[in-house]
Amino acid sequence: MTLKRKIAINVSIAFSVLFGLASTFIYISFSTFRKEEFKNRLEEKALSTAKLLVEVKEIDGQILKLISQNRIDRLYKEKTLVFDGQYKLIYNSLDDSKISWTKNDLVKLNNEKSYFIDKNGKETLGIFFPFKQGDYYVLISAEDIYGYSKMEYLLYSLIVTYFIGVLLVWIFTYFFIKKQLNPLDVFQQKITSISANALNVHLEENNSNDEINLLTQAFNKMLTRLENAFTTQKEFTSNASHELYTPLTRISLQLENLIHSEKHSENTLNYLKSINNDVHQIADLINSLLLLAKVNKESIIKTFDKIRIDEIIFEANEQVKKINANFNLDFDIQIADDIDNPMEVLGVKPLLKIAFTNLLKNACLYSSNNKAQVIINHIEQKTIKVTVSNEGKTLTLEEQKKIFEPFMRGENSIQIQGSGLGLPIVKRILDYHNAAICYHTIDENTNQFEVSFSI
């Protein structure tokens, strides 16, 4: 998941939770407010009814019932009961509603002075009034249909507002975060385009002090340090190759002259030839190290051309025969006739020649009969597979896992000269050509390398 989505999702979730908590708080607060407001209205009606009944002598119970029945502030399903100090019912309002009560409720009311009960939407208030004329107990109940209607409307409004608000927040948060972090996308694209051959291309900076600009400045400083390091490395590689090759060339020439110009004993001649071979081995090692350091995908991919893989193998075979004239190569092509240009692959000819020369040289060195076999075939007309196999001692499973690591040499190479860099060079060159290479043991005495090119 991208950073933009993570931030957008986290911000949206936080807002959704806070908005939900705020909506819940508003609804609960309004519910409490409605209850208190309705309780106050019941208390006011209970007090006015008790005062009319007790303090106004001209109004008897029947007249009071008529007044209560026709009041404009009458509540829905309102019912009022008034009791005197001896818990005797002295007033019962004119309506069909009922209030469930017992003497214990009035005794409780005498002790607590008031109580409020909400049962199935019908709310009942009991209140004790001490007048000069005596003590009175009033029970009044009604249904707050308007209050509940407002609560229902508020609930629907909060739900709709919540979902619309959350949806808008998720959408706008995503686009806002995307816009704010767009410089990071530009930063990532520019970083991706920077290669080892273009370290002098720095990212554009501005005068702001935000984190992205600070990151850009730090990255540019890092590029400068890397460019200096690469330049130093290239200069060292170039100078080292020159300084190493010059004395090695002189030593090799002197040894060659010494071997051919004078008569030596057999032991001396063997020593001189051994030293000369060691010099050539060191030269090959330096060559391999330099090639391993110089091969660069960005520098070669622009020079890809269509080349015939069979011609590459033939030329590689000629190179190996210069080292070992007794080397024999069995070559076989297994390709259907309906495939156009079956031997062509995209690549750099000199590099592929080096890769297959190393493969054939490896097959020659580790062959028990100075013989190797190469087979070229197609896989579903999309892949050219080149198989190089030879008879000889095979690698163990542990050695097979490390076969393409630099300087790795197996148990079968104890008496064979080499640097352990041939196969790593082959692997790197083929990787740059988007080709795959793998090693198999067909049986206990057969090594096989498979190289696959996508076409």
Side-chain angles (χ1 to χ4, degrees):
M1 185 182 292
T2 61
L3 179 62
K4 289 183 291 187
R5 290 184 179 178
K6 285 183 180 179
I7 295 176
I9 289 175
N10 290 334
V11 172
S12 300
I13 290 176
F15 175 82
S16 301
V17 171
L18 291 176
F19 195 9
L21 292 175
S23 300
T24 303
F25 175 76
I26 291 173
Y27 182 78
I28 294 175
S29 298
F30 185 80
S31 176
T32 304
F33 171 76
R34 180 213 63 78
K35 184 176 181 179
E36 291 296 324
E37 183 189 41
F38 192 66
K39 180 181 177 182
N40 292 334
R41 291 177 64 187
L42 290 177
E43 186 176 351
E44 289 177 1
K45 295 208 70 175
L47 179 61
S48 62
T49 300
K51 282 186 176 181
L52 284 174
L53 185 64
V54 174
E55 296 180 356
V56 182
K57 301 297 183 181
E58 293 79 6
I59 298 180
D60 57 14
Q62 192 64 29
I63 295 174
L64 183 58
K65 290 179 181 181
L66 293 174
I67 293 173
S68 177
Q69 188 75 18
N70 294 283
R71 289 179 62 173
I72 60 174
D73 60 345
R74 178 175 175 78
L75 303 174
Y76 182 69
K77 291 186 178 182
E78 179 184 333
K79 181 70 175 180
T80 305
L81 301 179
V82 180
F83 301 86
D84 61 14
Q86 287 74 40
Y87 309 129
K88 178 181 178 181
L89 180 65
I90 61 175
Y91 173 75
N92 186 2
S93 60
L94 291 173
D95 43 54
D96 297 330
S97 300
K98 294 181 179 181
I99 299 178
S100 297
W101 65 278
T102 62
K103 186 176 180 180
N104 291 332
D105 294 331
L106 300 179
V107 174
K108 177 183 177 182
L109 187 59
N110 183 48
N111 295 329
E112 297 181 2
K113 307 307 178 184
S114 68
Y115 68 81
F116 186 78
I117 301 173
D118 185 355
K119 187 176 181 180
N120 297 327
K122 189 170 185 178
E123 294 162 302
T124 301
L125 173 67
I127 189 166
F128 169 75
F129 291 113
F131 293 108
K132 293 180 180 180
Q133 295 84 350
D135 296 335
Y136 290 88
Y137 306 91
V138 180
L139 298 179
I140 182 170
S141 68
E143 293 183 15
D144 189 13
I145 58 172
Y146 299 109
Y148 280 111
S149 176
K150 293 176 183 177
M151 284 188 62
E152 184 178 4
Y153 177 77
L154 176 63
L155 178 63
Y156 290 147
S157 299
L158 289 175
I159 292 175
V160 172
T161 304
Y162 175 79
F163 283 107
I164 294 177
V166 167
L167 179 62
L168 292 175
V169 166
W170 279 72
I171 294 174
F172 285 111
T173 299
Y174 176 77
F175 285 104
F176 177 76
I177 297 296
K178 183 178 180 181
K179 182 179 180 181
Q180 292 299 313
L181 296 183
N182 185 61
L184 279 181
D185 291 336
V186 177
F187 186 81
Q188 184 267 336
Q189 292 172 2
K190 290 182 177 179
I191 289 177
T192 305
S193 64
I194 295 175
S195 65
N197 294 327
L199 293 176
N200 59 335
V201 179
H202 287 192
L203 305 180
E204 184 178 351
E205 302 177 11
N206 52 49
N207 296 324
S208 64
N209 290 323
D210 58 28
E211 288 78 1
I212 296 177
N213 188 55
L214 295 176
L215 179 62
T216 302
Q217 294 175 359
F219 187 79
N220 285 338
K221 291 179 182 178
M222 182 189 70
L223 284 179
T224 301
R225 292 194 296 269
L226 286 175
E227 183 181 7
N228 294 335
F230 269 80
T231 302
T232 303
Q233 183 187 26
K234 289 178 181 179
E235 291 176 353
F236 172 79
T237 301
S238 177
N239 295 333
S241 63
H242 176 74
E243 295 298 327
L244 289 172
Y245 267 118
T246 301
L248 284 175
T249 303
R250 288 200 302 264
I251 293 172
S252 179
L253 289 174
Q254 291 171 5
L255 286 171
E256 292 287 345
N257 292 332
L258 189 60
I259 291 172
H260 295 95
S261 64
E262 298 181 15
K263 292 182 180 181
H264 304 283
S265 64
E266 185 176 351
N267 287 337
T268 304
L269 189 62
N270 289 334
Y271 278 123
L272 291 175
K273 288 182 178 180
S274 177
I275 295 172
N276 195 30
N277 288 335
D278 290 339
V279 171
H280 283 291
Q281 186 178 352
I282 295 173
D284 289 340
L285 176 60
I286 294 172
N287 249 339
S288 299
L289 288 171
L290 292 176
L291 181 62
L292 198 62
K294 287 182 178 180
V295 172
N296 185 280
K297 187 173 184 179
E298 286 77 7
S299 63
I300 69 173
I301 197 169
K302 296 179 181 179
T303 61
F304 275 9
D305 294 314
K306 289 183 178 181
I307 52 179
R308 289 180 61 92
I309 197 67
D310 54 340
E311 294 179 357
I312 295 291
I313 295 173
F314 290 145
E315 293 180 13
N317 182 43
E318 293 298 324
Q319 290 292 324
V320 177
K321 280 197 170 187
K322 291 179 181 180
I323 302 173
N324 187 348
N326 296 323
F327 176 67
N328 293 314
L329 179 67
D330 289 341
F331 188 79
D332 188 17
I333 298 175
Q334 301 174 359
I335 296 178
D337 296 332
D338 59 344
I339 300 177
D340 296 332
N341 301 319
M343 295 294 171
E344 287 187 350
V345 297
L346 284 176
V348 181
K349 188 173 181 178
L351 291 178
L352 288 178
K353 182 178 176 181
I354 292 172
F356 281 99
T357 299
N358 283 347
L359 278 178
L360 294 181
K361 182 181 178 182
N362 186 81
C364 173
L365 290 174
Y366 296 97
S367 172
S368 59
N369 55 5
N370 283 329
K371 185 178 180 181
Q373 183 183 34
V374 174
I375 300 175
I376 301 177
N377 57 14
H378 269 258
I379 301 176
E380 298 179 354
Q381 299 187 1
K382 294 182 179 179
T383 303
I384 293 180
K385 185 173 75 172
V386 180
T387 304
V388 181
S389 56
N390 68 283
E391 293 182 4
K393 189 176 179 180
T394 58
L395 299 175
T396 64
L397 292 177
E398 287 299 320
E399 290 172 344
Q400 291 179 30
K401 295 178 182 178
K402 303 177 181 179
I403 189 171
F404 296 110
E405 294 182 4
F407 303 105
M408 185 277 166
R409 306 195 73 201
E411 293 180 0
N412 60 349
S413 63
I414 295 177
Q415 297 180 350
I416 299 175
Q417 291 184 345
S419 62
L421 291 173
L423 290 178
I425 291 174
V426 172
K427 182 70 166 61
R428 180 168 294 188
I429 292 174
L430 293 178
D431 284 344
Y432 291 160
H433 286 79
N434 295 320
I437 182 172
C438 57
Y439 170 82
H440 303 288
T441 54
I442 305 302
D443 51 48
E444 294 182 357
N445 198 40
T446 305
N447 300 282
Q448 185 180 86
F449 287 93
E450 289 185 356
V451 180
S452 301
F453 292 91
S454 299
I455 57 175

